[in-house]
């Protein structure tokens, strides 16, 4: 399950008034859910036995196989993580110092359906594997792309300047661009990064 959820992208979600990023993977044998507010990371990994026990506690009137509960949870979470939550389903959360509980209220087979995700703090290795290392890799890839595009823009400016010196002129003045200023671009870029970080 964890190797499967590693391939899933993080999604921006809201539980009530609180903003988080989350990812999840559901199988017939259980599920794993990761949630972060970018300060802390919580997770829950539950097998079929734990799901069956909790479903009996929360949904006494529902008598369906555990695999059906897991399938229904997956169908509720998939559109939610895609930013298209079902209007008949509500999500809320309760956050304490050491845990994060997510409450789901929906319907299954025409009856009320309730589910609680009991998330605990993720171990350091899990945080590193799912959040830190992917973010560093993405940051390095973006830095490389910025350097590549900067080099391309500088070469384009040199090419345009060569055309101008050869007597070429624009047929449409609105296409004229200013020369790319690498230092100013880097300063503006870092200012934007810092503003988003705060």
């Amino acid at each position: 399950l964890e190797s499967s959820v590693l391939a899933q992208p993080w999604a921006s979600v809201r539980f009530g008034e609180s903003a988080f990023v989350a990812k999840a993977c559901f199988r017939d044998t259980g599920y794993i859910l990761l949630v972060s507010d970018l300060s802390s990371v919580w997770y829950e990994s539950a097998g079929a036995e734990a799901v069956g026990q909790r479903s009996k506690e929360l949904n006494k009137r529902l008598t369906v196989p555990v695999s059906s509960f897991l399938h229904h949870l997956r169908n509720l979470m998939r559109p939610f993580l895609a930013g298209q939550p079902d209007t008949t389903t509500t999500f809320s959360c309760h956050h304490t110092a050491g845990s994060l509980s997510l409450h789901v209220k929906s319907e299954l087979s025409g009856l009320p359906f309730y589910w609680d995700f009991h998330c605990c703090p993720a171990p350091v290795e899990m945080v590193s594997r799912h959040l830190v290392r992917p973010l560093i890799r993405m940051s390095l890839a973006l830095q490389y792309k910025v350097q590549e595009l900067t080099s391309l823009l500088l070469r384009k400016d040199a090419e345009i300047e060569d055309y101008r010196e050869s007597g070429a002129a624009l047929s449409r003045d609105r296409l004229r661009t200013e020369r790319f200023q690498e230092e100013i671009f880097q300063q503006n870029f870092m200012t934007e990064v810092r503003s988003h970080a705060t």
Side-chain angles (χ1 to χ4, degrees), residues 52 55 59 61-70 72 108-109 113:
S55 65
N59 301 284
R61 296 169 62 193
L62 286 169
T63 53
V64 296
V66 172
S67 58
S68 295
F69 274 108
L70 287 162
H72 186 58
L108 177 59
S109 301
F113 173 84

Side-chain angles (χ1 to χ4, degrees), residues 34-103:
L34 281 85
V35 182
S36 175
D37 61 358
L38 302 185
S39 293
S40 302
V41 180
W42 301 270
Y43 85 107
E44 183 184 36
S45 180
E49 187 178 342
V51 171
Q53 182 60 39
R54 194 177 304 170
S55 65
K56 289 177 184 175
E57 296 169 2
L58 296 172
N59 301 284
K60 293 181 173 63
R61 296 169 62 193
L62 286 169
T63 53
V64 296
V66 172
S67 58
S68 295
F69 274 108
L70 287 162
H71 184 73
H72 186 58
L73 278 172
R74 182 178 62 194
N75 288 342
L76 292 177
M77 293 299 291
R78 185 177 288 168
F80 179 68
L81 293 173
Q84 302 165 335
D86 187 340
T87 54
T88 62
T89 304
T90 58
F91 295 86
S92 59
C93 73
H94 179 66
H95 182 204
T96 64
S99 67
L100 180 75
S101 295
L102 305 177
H103 310 290

Side-chain angles (χ1 to χ4, degrees), residues 149-161:
L149 290 170
T150 296
S151 176
L152 178 63
L153 284 169
L154 291 171
R155 292 202 310 273
K156 286 289 184 185
D157 276 348
E159 182 182 344
I160 291 168
E161 187 61 31

Side-chain angles (χ1 to χ4, degrees), residues 21 32 39-40 45 47-48 50 87 106 118 121 124 127-128 135 140 148 152 173 184 191:
V21 292
I32 182 168
S39 293
S40 302
S45 180
T87 54
S106 185
H118 300 307
V124 172
V127 175
S128 176
L135 284 174
L140 291 172
E148 200 175 48
L152 178 63
D173 200 56
I184 293 173
T191 300

